[in-house]
Amino acid sequence: MQFRFHTFGELETILHTEKIAAPEYGIKREAFMTGVPEARILPEIDRRIAVTRDALIKGLESPQFSRSGLTKGAAAAFASSKRRLIRDELFTRSLAYALAINEVNACGGKVVSFPTAGSSGIVPGVIWAWWDTRENRAAEGAVGRVHPCNPPYAPRLRDAFIVASLAGVIIAQSATLAGSEGGCQAECGAAGAMAACALGYLEEQPLGACFSAAALSLKNSLGLACDPVAGLVEVPCVKRNAFVAANALTAVDLTLSSIESIIPFDEVVWAMKQIGDTLPVSIKENSTGGLAITPTGLAFKQALER
Ligand code: SF4
């Protein structure tokens, strides 16, 4: 079986030729690439999914405050707020969970880089939000009170993470997942594409539609600057996790209405690479441009250096 692919087109051909479903292929590929026996892959995936669940619970139940003062318990505040413009549980949970996980990262807690630490809230945030809203009756009630959910996980939940990872593999192979190389389109943008893919899968969309949703989400992040204040993965990163989670939800909602991305996923990834190559170095994670050099950004930097 062929395990190396660079595009969705190549992935589709392999799945079709081998007559294998995407999640099953993802597990076989992981075993091949890591040399770890297939039997040990599932428990390892579950272990990592459990880390994301623990992080979101921590971020919601214990407001996260970083030493820099840039992270100030946004997830807990948002989850407990009585005022909402958009009163949809999936939407609210997605934003709250994405914030929670990424605030834990900002405060040095344990997360899964999926695909990176700075974007770690987006994929698990929307997957768990979908799960708690649509499948997990134990999660009913206030958004801020989320119960533990221990492995082994339901195949559908686990498979959503695996399908998301296949989108990440393509972006990594054909472009980059590093903000220092491609700007934040490569981190949060990529995570949004992966999240859209996973949500499409959970909504039982064909793989082509999942990747069309991924294309829609990624298109809306092209050219995104990586300009972290004081060189810390907090501003704009944490709140951007919530914004990009909303991107993914929008992309899937459009796809469910049969609205496709005119530009196919592989071409969007190609465009992302071209844009990343031409972005100024000052907005590729070295904090010499953009938000990092605003008066407020510089004031935080100077205060931290004192
Ligand atoms: S702004 Fe930069 S550091 Fe922050 S999440 Fe995006 S790529 Fe990562």
Side-chain angles (χ1 to χ4, degrees), residues 123-241:
V123 183
V126 301
I127 293 177
W128 279 120
W130 190 95
W131 194 254
D132 285 348
T133 307
R134 303 283 158 85
E135 293 285 335
N136 184 11
R137 297 282 46 109
E140 277 173 358
V143 172
R145 281 199 298 278
V146 179
H147 302 285
C149 187
N150 298 318
Y153 293 115
R156 194 165 173 210
L157 175 77
R158 187 190 296 129
D159 289 352
F161 280 91
I162 298 171
V163 170
S165 76
L166 293 173
V169 167
I170 292 168
I171 298 171
Q173 297 289 340
S174 295
T176 176
L177 293 172
S180 57
E181 239 186 303
C184 198
Q185 56 170 2
E187 294 202 12
C188 286
M194 294 163 69
C197 227
L199 281 176
Y201 176 83
L202 288 167
E203 287 288 329
E204 298 179 343
Q205 291 295 289
L207 203 60
C210 296
F211 275 81
S212 185
L216 288 170
S217 185
L218 184 55
K219 280 195 301 189
N220 202 36
S221 294
L222 291 182
L224 205 53
C226 171
D227 47 1
V229 168
L232 300 168
V233 188
E234 297 187 66
V235 174
C237 324
V238 170
K239 295 181 190 93
R240 183 167 290 164
N241 274 249

